[in-house]
Each structure stands twice: as C-alpha cells, then as structure tokens.
Amino acid sequence: MTTPPQQLRSALDALDSAFAPLSESPFALGGCTYCYSDTDLEALAGPAHRVPDELISSVAAEVTDHWSAFAALYRRMTPRIVRLLTTDRLHVGHGLVASRLLTASWRSWALPERQALERVWDAWWRSALHDYPGLGRATDVLETIAVSTGSLSPWLAVWTETRTEAAAHHLDDALDHWLADRKLADLRLGFHDELHAGPELLSWLLSLENGRVGAAQLFEVERLAYS
C-alpha cells in the first residue's frame, strides 16, 4: 500500500502528464515589459519545464492584466505552480493561487486536466493530515483546495475520518488560528474572499465527537455559534 506522500508524488507526476501537450508546446505571449524582460517573456512562451522557479512564482502571484493571455499562461504553468506550492517552494499565498485558478476558469479546462488537478488536491490534503508539523499549515492547504473547488464539505469529511495524531495536531493548530481574531463565524477564504467558510466550519466543529476539540476551544466555538 502506498503512503499519502507517495500518492501525492504520483498525482503530481500525473498532473505533469495531463498538461504535457499544452505546457510543453510554445505559444504566443505578450506581457508587461516594465516588470518582465524579453528573456522572461520568451521563457514563458516556451516549454514550461524550462521556466525558472522564481519566474513561476512571479506568474503565480502576478495580476492578470500583466499578460496578453493570462488564462492560457496560468493553465500551461499550473503543473509547475502546483508542484512548487505543494512542496512549500512557491512562497505565494495559498489563497491567492486558488483565486488565480478561479480567474483562469480552471473548472472549464479539459476533463483530463481537471481530474488530474482534483487528484492532486485530494492527495495533498490526505498527505498533509498524515504529517505534522509537515511543510506548512493544514489551514493553508484547506484554503487552496476549498476555494478552488468551491466547497469545504468533502475536505472536512476527510478530516473527520482521518484519525491520525498528525490530523489531531493540525486541528488544534487550526482552531488556534481561526479563533485568534475572533472572526471564525464570518471567516472568508480566498484572496478575494470567495468562500464564506465560517458557518460551515462552526457546524462541522460542533459535529465532531467528544474529545476531538479541546474544552477551551470548544467553549469559544459554541459561544460564536450560538451568540
């Protein structure tokens, strides 16, 4: 049986394969010549595997009007962006990447591409819940996959069924993070606040069996839910 990290690596390789016909074929690209050199634009218009990591990070975060074909560029660079993101080497906000994917209309891409990306999201989430402290916060992973897919429910269901010690530690950290600014009830995820997550998170937290949420944290959750 493969481990969650192995499943993630396999999913990332499958993502590369699904996008290869698109990401490895040159295309025409114009962009902001104040921010990007001719060399940068030439690299971005060529095969995606040759683009330097630092330029991929810039593309992942850049505003859409800096490119003549934002959606096409983001689509062809998605395997590179996602691989760097899931291995904590992108250094771009998770919510921003999710929002950019929505702007690039990833849900309308070819079915093999969508399925490959969804497989990565599932493998990344399961891998995160089996590793603590891991490469980053579980809340960042959750924000990426929930905002991009438009739903919290399936990912919270995975968290409910994952009874590892790592998942428990991540839940404790997540609650500390969510409760820190006392805005859990109105928590919104995504760079543009696309997903109103607070009510569903509160309902989910209250549904967990006794002992999974600490007494002090549960008191705060109940106070927010019933106030």
Side-chain angles (χ1 to χ4, degrees), residues 44-65:
L44 291 171
H49 73 274
R50 297 181 181 175
V51 180
D53 286 356
E54 61 270 20
L55 190 51
I56 293 292
S57 293
S58 183
V59 169
E62 189 59 83
V63 294
T64 61
D65 63 6

Side-chain angles (χ1 to χ4, degrees), residues 170-192:
H170 279 303
L171 179 58
D172 187 58
D173 287 354
L175 277 161
D176 284 345
H177 175 66
W178 289 330
L179 293 169
D181 58 7
R182 301 183 180 275
K183 294 182 179 179
L184 176 57
D186 194 41
L187 180 67
R188 297 173 187 271
L189 302 177
F191 187 73
H192 300 295

Side-chain angles (χ1 to χ4, degrees), residues 97-99 101-102 106-107 117 121 142-151 155 195:
V97 172
S99 295
L101 282 167
L102 291 178
W106 81 272
R107 295 178 197 168
L117 185 55
W121 288 164
L142 182 62
E143 179 170 27
T144 308
I145 61 182
V147 171
S148 61
T149 60
S151 177
W155 314 113
L195 186 63

Side-chain angles (χ1 to χ4, degrees), residues 74-123:
Y74 217 88
R75 182 179 182 181
R76 64 189 272 108
M77 296 299 165
T78 285
R80 291 289 311 280
I81 292 170
V82 169
R83 185 177 289 273
L84 291 175
L85 182 69
T86 58
T87 53
D88 199 34
R89 294 178 292 146
L90 190 64
H91 310 304
V92 173
H94 291 67
L96 179 57
V97 172
S99 295
R100 291 284 187 264
L101 282 167
L102 291 178
T103 303
S105 301
W106 81 272
R107 295 178 197 168
S108 67
W109 295 350
L111 182 60
E113 297 169 3
R114 299 199 312 268
Q115 289 178 330
L117 185 55
E118 289 165 351
R119 181 184 170 192
V120 170
W121 288 164
D122 183 73

